[in-house]
Amino acid sequence: MSDPGRRLVTAAARLLADRGRPGVSARAVAAEARLAASAINYNLGGLEQLLSTALEVGCEEAAAWLARCEPQVARLPATPDGAVLALEAVILAWTGEARDLALLYQEAAGTEVGARWTGVWAEFWARTAERCGLGTVEGRLLHAAFESEALFQLSGWSPVLEAAALRELCGQFGALWLGASPGLVTGACRIAEEGAGARPEGSLAAPALRIADAAAEVVAEKGLAGLTHRAVAMRAGVTTGAVTHHFRTIEDLVAGAIRGQVSALSRVTPGGQAPATPDGFVDALFFHARADRPSIPVLSRRGLFLAAVRRPDLARAGAVIRFAHGGTTRDSLVRLFRVEADQGVVVAGVLARLLSALWSACAGQADPAEARAILAEAVIRRPLDRLGAR
């Protein structure tokens, strides 16, 4: 590749990580590379080819990063407990020292390059599981847990508290899904949820919910740069004053949008009622897991989170998105499986995260639908069987 080509690829990767796809244009890439916009067509054949090449290079860099990381992971105990330690350590390193690559990875989702990149991670977790005496399904569970937290650990709201919450989540994941030692419940997830305001009392009123849904649509189409009270008012078909009445600031709009999406998730539960029996609860979980693709609220939540983590002033809104997971399942866990409240926060959070990650974790498999069905069975049955046997 020519020197101008390399400069363009580097610039495109940097902008994709910093701004996300909505914030990347040919003019912006050329300015970042200090070249004329015409250099993109001349060297790479167009903007889309350039972006695809940037993702390809990112995948290669990630494989090299993993090759350096794997010998360190291999020093951990060759047990299920060692697999849990590896999960936590790799997530923290990936979203810390390799943050730009981690953000670029998120931008690859839904592309051919992204599927290959996901396959690299799937193979890594399969090897880790085998080394720790675990099977193929456990390797896929580790990968699904990574896919979820490789996204949400990008949050910069409260690093110490969020690292503590990650440890709590990994501990419960190891105990209930991998058969590792009992995970310690410290209350970190509950404190993070309360501090972020991720589970407000009551649901949004109908007018506010319509505005929240419109805000999510604006972000999905235009990115956070396009999120204004006026744009949301036009999308929702209301006055600007109506928007500011319910959501005074842009941060309020983002936080409201995710709360609206959480409410929407609960509305697609079969019957719209809280399950009355353990079997009914399982059926409700499988209803979501068997869909051909994630629900619109799940996709919106991911997009909103990625938009929020790129704006320091929206860090708290990102935390709302992160710790809203599990809000529609925990009450049923506590009621039907006699789980203590603090543990219910964590277990419901892990369960919801794993279910949301099913599609991305299976993207690199030869038969994604079959892989997703097998993984969903393990994600749903294992923790509930262990909780029911206590």
Side-chain angles (χ1 to χ4, degrees):
M1 185 183 298
S2 66
D3 179 66
R6 284 192 294 271
R7 287 163 58 187
L8 287 166
V9 169
T10 300
R14 186 181 301 118
L15 290 179
L16 279 170
D18 288 347
R19 303 180 185 180
R21 180 62 184 88
V24 180
S25 65
R27 180 175 296 179
V29 173
E32 181 75 13
R34 297 184 178 181
L35 292 167
S38 59
I40 295 176
N41 287 333
Y42 181 78
N43 288 278
L44 279 307
L47 180 61
E48 292 307 315
Q49 181 61 39
L50 168 60
L51 297 181
S52 179
T53 302
L55 294 177
E56 290 275 9
V57 171
C59 182
E60 294 170 4
E61 291 179 355
W65 185 87
L66 271 176
R68 296 191 298 272
C69 179
E70 196 156 3
Q72 300 178 50
V73 172
R75 297 191 181 105
L76 293 169
T79 63
D81 289 350
V84 177
L85 292 172
L87 178 64
E88 181 184 358
V90 171
I91 289 169
L92 288 173
W94 177 243
T95 57
E97 67 184 49
R99 182 179 177 83
D100 285 348
L101 269 178
L103 284 165
L104 193 61
Y105 179 47
Q106 297 302 328
E107 294 304 315
T111 68
E112 290 185 14
V113 179
R116 291 198 297 276
W117 200 336
T118 298
V120 171
W121 278 112
E123 291 169 5
F124 170 81
W125 290 113
R127 293 192 299 271
T128 300
E130 183 179 11
R131 192 185 63 80
C132 292
L134 298 170
T136 300
V137 173
E138 287 79 10
R140 292 183 180 178
L141 286 167
L142 280 164
H143 180 216
F146 169 80
E147 286 292 327
S148 171
E149 295 311 308
L151 169 65
F152 291 109
Q153 191 60 30
L154 290 165
S155 170
W157 169 61
S158 180
V160 173
L161 178 57
E162 292 189 271
L166 175 65
R167 173 158 295 184
E168 197 173 45
L169 290 164
C170 288
Q172 288 299 302
F173 166 73
L176 294 176
W177 278 267
L178 301 183
S181 299
L184 184 64
V185 177
T186 64
C189 285
R190 174 182 53 78
I191 293 168
E193 180 187 82
E194 292 173 353
R199 199 184 190 207
E201 290 299 324
S203 60
L204 292 171
L209 184 57
R210 183 171 62 173
I211 293 170
D213 288 342
E217 292 171 7
V218 169
V219 172
E221 181 181 323
K222 302 179 179 179
L224 271 182
L227 183 65
T228 65
H229 288 87
R230 182 181 180 186
V232 173
M234 292 179 64
R235 182 62 62 96
V238 300
T239 66
T240 302
V243 177
T244 55
H245 172 73
H246 292 286
F247 305 102
R248 186 173 60 85
T249 66
I250 295 299
E251 182 177 10
D252 291 340
L253 267 177
V254 175
I258 187 55
R259 286 173 179 147
Q261 297 307 323
V262 171
S263 175
L265 281 169
S266 67
R267 295 198 299 272
V268 296
T269 299
Q273 301 282 335
T277 65
D279 285 345
F281 181 60
V282 170
D283 289 343
L285 295 177
F286 274 115
F287 173 80
H288 296 291
R290 288 171 177 152
D292 290 334
R293 56 174 295 171
S295 66
I296 292 175
V298 167
L299 294 172
S300 296
R301 178 160 54 187
R302 181 182 179 278
L304 282 167
F305 179 80
L306 283 170
V309 298
R310 292 182 168 106
R311 286 268 299 272
D313 57 316
L314 295 176
R316 188 169 179 269
V320 169
I321 298 169
R322 181 179 192 181
F323 293 105
H325 275 87
T328 59
T329 60
R330 90 183 46 174
D331 293 339
S332 295
L333 279 173
V334 171
R335 176 168 47 86
L336 298 173
F337 294 88
R338 299 191 300 277
V339 177
E340 293 183 2
D342 273 3
Q343 187 183 21
V345 173
V346 188
V347 176
V350 177
L351 182 55
R353 287 165 167 81
L354 290 175
L355 287 173
S356 295
L358 284 175
W359 291 267
S360 58
C362 297
Q365 299 294 325
D367 187 339
E370 180 183 4
R372 192 168 63 249
I374 294 170
L375 188 56
E377 188 76 20
V379 166
I380 294 170
R381 301 284 186 188
R382 287 193 181 195
L384 300 183
D385 286 348
R386 286 186 169 119
L387 288 170
R390 292 192 313 176

